Each structure stands twice: as C-alpha cells, then as structure tokens.
Amino acid sequence: MDSYIIIDGWKSNIRFSSAHIIPEYEKCGRLHGHTYAVHVKISGKPDEKGIILDFSILKENLKQIVKELDHRILIPKKSKTFSVKKEKDNVKISFLNKTYFFPLNDCIFLPIKSTSAENLASYILHKFLEEAALQKNIKSIEIGVDEGFGQGARISKSFN
Ligand SMILES: [Zn+2]
C-alpha cells in the first residue's frame, strides 16, 4: 500500500507574489506579476507513529523557500534571451529592444533559464531537497507551482 501526504499552498498559505518577464512570449514579455502557490505531495511509508513526514516541518521548509521569492522580481540567471548586467546597486536587464533597470535588492537571481511555472517548480524541488533532511521512508516528492488559481506545473522525483 502506498500512502502520501499533501499540502495545498493556497489553503496552507505557502504563497508568494512576484514579478517576472518571459521575453519568449509577446504578452509575457512585459513586466507583470502573479500570486503563486506551492503544493507538495510526498509518498512513503508511515513510521511507527503513523507519520510519513511532520506537516509542520514540511511547511516550515517550504515557507523559507517562498519567503526568498516573495515581493521580488524573479530573474532567470541562465536565460539565453536576457542580458543581465549588475551596475552598482542596480541591475540592467536587456532583451530584444527593451531595457529595464531594477534595484538589485528588489531582485532574486534564480539558476533557471526562464521563470515559467515549470522551471519555478523545478527550482523549488531542488531547493527543498537541499534543505530538507529526508528519512529513508520517503518514496517520492512532487512539487507544484500554481501561477494564479487553476493553472500550474508539477514536477516529481522518486527515490529507490
Ligand atoms: Zn507571468
């Protein structure tokens, strides 16, 4: 038998509001924002207390990750379209025929190619795996990122 636990980011308040640009798409190539929610599903074998993973620890881990993203401009460090130049306390983002200047402190630089929901989910999954000390009873983890209500991406990793 397989059991899993789930956390719904909308209901558990694991959310962040951020601005981004996806230059590859015309409409998304203009600076705009979303409220995102992060969901998680973890399957595994309950321990002798009947618990796969403590909800409060799980939520604390996720809240730390989303806190860094909240109220920031998300900048994909690995973008092939953006040119990103730091100039003193500002960052200059250029692509196609546009240039944006942002205060450095308002930005977070992410090791992804674009700030799609898919890539944000992948980033959060990696970050979560780095920071969470997972027990051997965990079989798989799925992270979901909703970009507003009703649309989002999911990514999962299994352990053997
Ligand atoms: Zn968007």
Side-chain angles (χ1 to χ4, degrees):
M1 276 201 301
D2 263 355
S3 312
Y4 61 85
I5 55 170
I6 52 166
I7 286 187
D8 180 313
W10 293 118
K11 295 175 185 164
S12 307
N13 199 25
I14 300 172
R15 309 177 199 184
F16 60 100
S17 298
S18 308
H20 77 159
I21 313 162
I22 300 186
E24 289 81 357
Y25 296 93
E26 195 185 344
K27 193 176 133 197
C28 307
R30 301 193 294 265
L31 182 68
H32 64 282
H34 302 280
T35 293
Y36 297 89
V38 176
H39 311 296
V40 64
K41 176 177 171 182
I42 295 186
S43 67
K45 205 170 148 36
D47 63 15
E48 63 280 2
K49 288 176 267 175
I51 289 168
I52 296 174
L53 188 64
D54 188 320
F55 284 121
S56 58
I57 294 171
L58 181 54
K59 286 201 286 191
E60 203 42 55
N61 279 327
L62 294 167
K63 279 184 180 169
Q64 287 303 321
I65 296 170
V66 302
K67 204 173 133 190
E68 288 181 4
L69 305 170
D70 193 34
H71 288 74
R72 302 266 172 189
I73 300 151
L74 310 176
I75 311 283
K77 266 198 295 199
K78 293 187 173 173
S79 170
K80 287 190 175 137
T81 319
F82 282 0
S83 136
V84 179
K85 285 204 180 86
K86 290 178 190 173
E87 297 180 358
K88 290 185 184 166
D89 296 332
N90 293 296
V91 60
K92 180 182 173 185
I93 309 281
S94 316
F95 60 93
L96 305 172
N97 53 356
K98 289 189 187 185
T99 303
Y100 288 96
F101 273 99
F102 300 118
L104 203 51
N105 285 339
D106 289 4
C107 301
I108 179 165
F109 297 87
L110 302 170
I112 49 182
K113 286 182 181 163
S114 83
T115 49
S116 63
E118 291 85 339
N119 288 341
L120 290 173
S122 168
Y123 165 75
I124 291 170
L125 175 61
H126 281 100
K127 194 91 179 154
F128 179 77
L129 292 173
E130 267 172 34
E131 287 172 16
L134 295 176
Q135 306 289 334
K136 286 202 172 112
N137 65 325
I138 306 294
K139 284 187 187 164
S140 71
I141 296 186
E142 181 185 283
I143 293 282
V145 171
D146 283 355
E147 199 183 79
F149 279 121
Q151 57 178 12
R154 305 287 181 267
I155 186 166
S156 63
K157 184 172 171 66
S158 303
F159 309 96
N160 290 308

